[in-house]
Amino acid sequence: MLDFIGQAHCNFRFDLRYRALLGGTREQLKKQIEAGFPFLPAGCSLQLDRVSSERVLANLRDSLPSCPAAGGVTLPFLCLGFAEYGSHEGERPMAIRWRMKQEIRAAWLPVMALAV
């Protein structure tokens, strides 16, 4: 028995843990949790009690910031332009800095919750 729930930090991303085990998108993961994990390989079992399921599903909803302008749903991938290599530091892990070829439009900054 493995306990994947416990009293996790509020910023802990359950979706990353379960997607590493199950694969698929966040929406597919949500459906698997709601249905009791029907698509596991033969011989595998994954069970969540009601409270754990509710916690994981709430965490899935809250794990990525939502956009009030989009009705409170998480925005899909959005291309804001092209970037070019700036610099890097370290090896493992390596931090890479990219520079946008053009500035991000000011209208997007509040949506992305970036400081100006």
Side-chain angles (χ1 to χ4, degrees), residues 34-113:
E34 290 170 342
F37 303 101
F39 303 114
L40 293 174
C44 294
S45 174
L46 185 58
Q47 298 174 350
L48 296 177
D49 61 27
R50 183 186 55 79
V51 174
S52 296
S53 293
E54 290 171 0
R55 282 186 185 172
V56 172
L57 290 170
N59 182 275
L60 286 175
R61 273 193 312 275
D62 301 337
S63 63
L64 292 178
S66 61
C67 173
V73 296
T74 303
L75 290 173
F77 173 78
L78 182 66
C79 180
L80 297 172
F82 295 98
E84 56 189 24
Y85 171 79
S87 64
H88 74 276
E89 57 186 56
E91 289 183 22
R92 294 184 183 182
M94 179 184 291
I96 301 175
R97 289 186 183 86
W98 299 92
R99 282 191 298 269
M100 297 294 293
K101 289 191 175 186
Q102 61 187 25
E103 285 190 35
I104 297 172
R105 293 188 345 226
W108 282 108
L109 296 178
V111 173
M112 295 173 10

Side-chain angles (χ1 to χ4, degrees), residues 6 10-11 18 20 26 30 49 76-77 86 103 107:
C10 63
N11 292 331
Y18 284 98
R26 286 169 36 115
K30 179 181 172 234
D49 61 27
F77 173 78
E103 285 190 35

